[in-house]
Amino acid sequence: MLIQKQAILAKEEATYGVDAVPVPGTDAITCSQVSYTLLSDTEDFEFTNSGYMGNRSGGMNNYVLGATINFRTLMRGEGQALGVAPEIGKLFKACNSDETVTASTDVAYKPNSKFFSDDSATSLTIYFYQDKILHKILGARGNPVISGVAGRAVFIDWAFTGLYVSAAADTTPDFAVNKL
């Protein structure tokens, strides 16, 4: 399938599973290699003509349990002043890591044990726009896999799983620079 426009926005949720409404100006994630999958308990879907290509809304008899989104980012600073969290900082926090910001020095991430045992574990609202269709995942938490070779770019492959929200027609946000 030819994909014309894609964009990912991610924002920390104040309350698990409640839409944090990410916006392009502050919540866009520069990434590539995006894949989006619905998680269901059955393959017995009742397909209906929704008028657009993409995830069907309402025709699945509520068998959809969640959604997973995978994508790749570069592991790099943001070109900002030292001690300013990068755009991917919120992703690390939703992957069971604590963020420590040392003003004018650095930002560090350290794994913690809050993931399932503590209500203070960070979760994200992720908006994935693909060809004028908005896919939402609420309560997203995930795993990063960091890979690289000496002398070359280091990449992070992210996998987030969360609560599925039915796809809806929407316009893909415009960015001053290409975010995907």
Side-chain angles (χ1 to χ4, degrees):
M1 171 169 68
L2 176 63
I3 298 169
Q4 295 180 0
K5 290 186 177 182
Q6 291 182 324
I8 290 182
L9 308 177
K11 185 173 183 177
E12 290 182 44
E13 295 173 339
T15 303
Y16 175 80
V18 176
D19 193 340
V21 191
V23 296
T26 57
D27 301 315
I29 303 294
T30 304
C31 61
S32 63
Q33 301 181 12
V34 181
S35 66
Y36 181 85
T37 306
L38 295 181
L39 306 174
S40 69
D41 63 351
T42 181
E43 294 296 323
D44 184 22
F45 293 118
E46 176 186 326
F47 290 105
T48 59
N49 185 355
S50 61
Y52 57 85
M53 294 183 349
N55 298 329
R56 294 340 190 239
S57 174
M60 293 189 186
N61 296 324
N62 296 322
Y63 291 129
V64 176
L65 303 174
T68 297
I69 190 164
N70 299 287
F71 54 92
R72 172 176 272 192
T73 64
L74 279 170
M75 186 165 175
R76 61 182 170 82
E78 293 301 305
Q80 301 176 16
L82 293 175
V84 176
E87 75 177 17
I88 62 173
K90 59 188 135 207
L91 304 180
F92 276 116
K93 290 169 68 176
C95 290
N96 204 28
S97 293
D98 289 324
E99 179 180 74
T100 302
V101 178
T102 305
S104 302
T105 305
D106 65 5
V107 180
Y109 297 91
K110 180 180 177 183
N112 64 45
S113 58
K114 296 178 188 176
F115 214 43
F116 297 108
S117 63
D118 190 338
D119 288 337
S120 67
T122 301
S123 61
L124 299 173
T125 293
I126 298 176
Y127 284 13
F128 171 47
Y129 293 88
Q130 184 176 37
D131 289 333
K132 297 183 181 179
I133 305 298
L134 171 59
H135 305 271
K136 293 181 184 180
I137 301 176
L138 305 180
R141 293 182 175 145
N143 293 302
V145 175
I146 301 171
S147 59
V149 176
R152 297 192 180 200
V154 176
F155 294 97
I156 307 170
D157 292 306
W158 304 92
F160 286 94
T161 301
L163 307 169
Y164 170 74
V165 176
S166 295
D170 202 340
T171 56
T172 302
D174 288 324
F175 297 99
V177 296
N178 184 10
K179 293 307 261 187
L180 287 181

